[in-house]
Amino acid sequence: MHETPVEITVNGHPARHEVEPRLTLADYLREKCGLTGTHLGCEHGACGACTVLLDGQAVRSCLIFAVQVDGQDVTTVEGIAGESGELSPVQAAMRECHGLQCGFCTPGFVTSITALLRDNPSPTDEEIREGLSGNFCRCTGYQGIVNAVKRAAELQGQG
């Protein structure tokens, strides 16, 4: 199979690689860019572990081919923290409110919450649960994650 050139801005940095047309964005990020924070769970879009921001919108990177995002901007969980590595309000709140246990689903939640709070800076509990309904967690029972979204909203409101 022939390879196709792809240029994507990943976490603010240009990335250019030759890829097979069937390579998913998730595999591109993990294999070509070395960004293993994007996790693969179900590999058919149901679990949300592979969620990244594509031009600011939360998307399942296992459902998109890398060639489809040529010329676009991708933010992974590695790009959510500040330039010097300080935790974003979402990351700090996840830690503070015990919104994670095993950590496998955490990158997808962090990117999804980041997009959720950008679009709705002060969501209700119902809006939080609806906004995160595409992300599965098997460990936490979700209440710590909901609390973290509320806390992150507070932290962002202070900034």
Side-chain angles (χ1 to χ4, degrees), residues 9 52-59 69-75 118:
T9 301
V52 298
L53 302 178
L54 177 61
D55 288 338
Q57 298 302 309
V59 299
V69 301
D70 186 44
Q72 295 183 61
D73 184 52
V74 174
T75 303
R118 183 202 58 233

Side-chain angles (χ1 to χ4, degrees), residues 88-94 96-97 113-114 117 121 123 145-159:
S88 74
V90 172
Q91 291 168 317
M94 287 288 280
E96 179 184 331
C97 297
I113 294 167
T114 299
L117 291 177
I145 298 169
V146 172
N147 293 343
V149 176
K150 292 180 197 176
R151 179 65 179 137
E154 289 172 7
L155 292 170
Q156 287 182 349
Q158 296 171 4

Side-chain angles (χ1 to χ4, degrees), residues 7-143:
E7 281 191 60
I8 303 170
T9 301
V10 180
N11 299 329
H13 304 286
R16 179 175 165 70
H17 297 93
E18 299 277 330
V19 301
E20 289 187 11
R22 67 180 181 210
L23 184 72
T24 66
L25 177 57
D27 287 332
Y28 176 87
L29 294 168
R30 292 178 62 80
E31 296 169 12
K32 300 292 186 179
C33 299
L35 298 170
T36 57
T38 300
H39 292 162
L40 289 166
C42 66
E43 297 194 51
H44 56 85
C47 75
C50 69
T51 303
V52 298
L53 302 178
L54 177 61
D55 288 338
Q57 298 302 309
V59 299
R60 305 294 189 267
S61 63
C62 74
L63 296 179
I64 301 171
F65 294 115
V67 295
Q68 291 176 283
V69 301
D70 186 44
Q72 295 183 61
D73 184 52
V74 174
T75 303
T76 68
V77 69
E78 291 93 342
I80 299 289
E83 288 290 320
S84 61
E86 72 275 2
L87 297 179
S88 74
V90 172
Q91 291 168 317
M94 287 288 280
R95 181 177 65 187
E96 179 184 331
C97 297
H98 309 288
L100 62 126
Q101 284 184 26
C102 84
F104 189 82
C105 67
T106 304
F109 271 104
V110 167
T111 53
S112 294
I113 294 167
T114 299
L116 171 68
L117 291 177
R118 183 202 58 233
D119 296 341
N120 183 353
S122 187
T124 65
D125 282 7
E126 185 177 321
E127 290 168 331
I128 292 168
R129 290 183 185 282
E130 175 64 27
L132 298 179
S133 63
N135 293 76
F136 297 160
C137 175
R138 292 177 170 254
C139 300
T140 66
Y142 295 96
Q143 192 55 50

